[in-house]
């Protein structure tokens, strides 16, 4: 019999970058082998605080944007 294995595991929220052990969460997902790729969806406000290793450990980063709450220019200029 076959086993369902998703190609992508999404960490979403709330805001996943608020988690005090986001690196541990990403590591647990990677070690579990539940999916080939890891995606994190964030509102973007804490992206500048994330360690470089965070970006090395994930495969995709999605920044949610809502028209009623425009992104500040400072967030967009790295």
């Amino acid at each position: 019999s076959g086993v369902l294995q998703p190609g992508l595991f999404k960490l979403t929220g709330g805001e996943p970058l608020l988690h005090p052990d986001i690196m541990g969460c990403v590591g647990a997902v990677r070690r579990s082998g539940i999916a080939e790729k890891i995606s994190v969806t964030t509102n973007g406000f804490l992206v500048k605080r994330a360690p470089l290793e965070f970006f090395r450990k994930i495969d995709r980063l999605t920044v949610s944007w809502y028209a009623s709450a425009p992104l500040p220019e400072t967030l967009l200029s790295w």
Side-chain angles (χ1 to χ4, degrees):
S1 75
V3 175
L4 176 65
Q5 183 172 12
L8 183 68
F9 186 94
K10 291 185 178 186
L11 287 168
T12 63
E15 174 52 53
L17 293 178
L18 281 173
H19 193 287
D21 190 20
I22 187 63
M23 294 301 295
C25 294
V26 171
V29 172
R30 185 69 72 197
R31 287 188 306 277
S32 76
I34 195 168
E36 183 179 322
K37 296 185 184 266
I38 299 173
S39 173
V40 175
T41 301
T42 175
N43 63 21
F45 288 98
L46 300 176
V47 168
K48 287 183 175 182
R49 291 191 205 168
L52 185 57
E53 191 63 18
F54 169 77
F55 299 101
R56 291 183 176 135
K57 299 280 184 184
I58 65 171
D59 301 291
R60 181 182 300 167
L61 181 71
T62 302
V63 177
S64 296
W65 176 68
Y66 300 96
S68 61
L71 292 174
E73 288 295 320
T74 55
L75 176 65
L76 301 175
S77 60
W78 293 16

